[in-house]
Amino acid sequence: MTQVWKKWRWDGLGLSIAGLCLVHCLVTMFLLAFLASASGVLFNSIIHEAGLLLAILFGVLALGKGFWDHGLFTPAIVGAAGIGMMAGALTLPHGLMEIVWTVLGVICLALGHFLNHRASA
């Protein structure tokens, strides 16, 4: 079990946070379609800024360690592109385009973590 934890530690945390972000985006979209009053809590900018900070932190830790271990640029580049998309989405007004760019960024970052994990195997 210790080997599994060491192998998945950072990429697993990164993938988990990416999944939580994706769930947050989708749940927010559906809740807003049915409950307009929920927008005050779920659209709070601190949630998005904190999420991006966590994505950057775990991205740097996991993808940086992966690069150090296997020396492949691709996972880090794909992950960095995802973080860039997520950061860019924060500059957009709340709405469909913000959600689309955030979800694309999360998927791209998750793909970077997945590629990193496969390269380390």
Side-chain angles (χ1 to χ4, degrees), residues 3-4 10 12 23 26 29 31 33 39 47-48 52-53 60 67 73 79 85 94 104-105 109 112-113 119:
Q3 285 294 71
V4 171
W10 297 116
V23 167
L26 295 175
M29 184 174 61
L31 275 178
S39 66
I47 291 173
H48 299 123
L52 181 61
L53 182 64
V60 167
F67 176 74
F73 282 104
M85 286 182 224
H94 291 304
L104 287 174
L109 178 58
H113 282 296

Side-chain angles (χ1 to χ4, degrees), residues 38-88:
S39 66
V41 173
L42 295 174
F43 272 154
N44 190 337
S45 64
I46 193 71
I47 291 173
H48 299 123
E49 292 163 5
L52 181 61
L53 182 64
L54 287 173
I56 292 169
L57 174 68
F58 288 115
V60 167
L61 288 173
L63 299 171
K65 182 182 181 322
F67 176 74
W68 185 266
D69 291 345
H70 53 68
L72 297 175
F73 282 104
T74 304
I77 291 170
V78 171
I83 290 173
M85 286 182 224
M86 292 165 55

Side-chain angles (χ1 to χ4, degrees), residues 10-25:
W10 297 116
D11 286 314
L13 286 171
L15 283 167
S16 298
I17 290 172
L20 287 174
C21 181
L22 186 60
V23 167
H24 165 77
C25 290

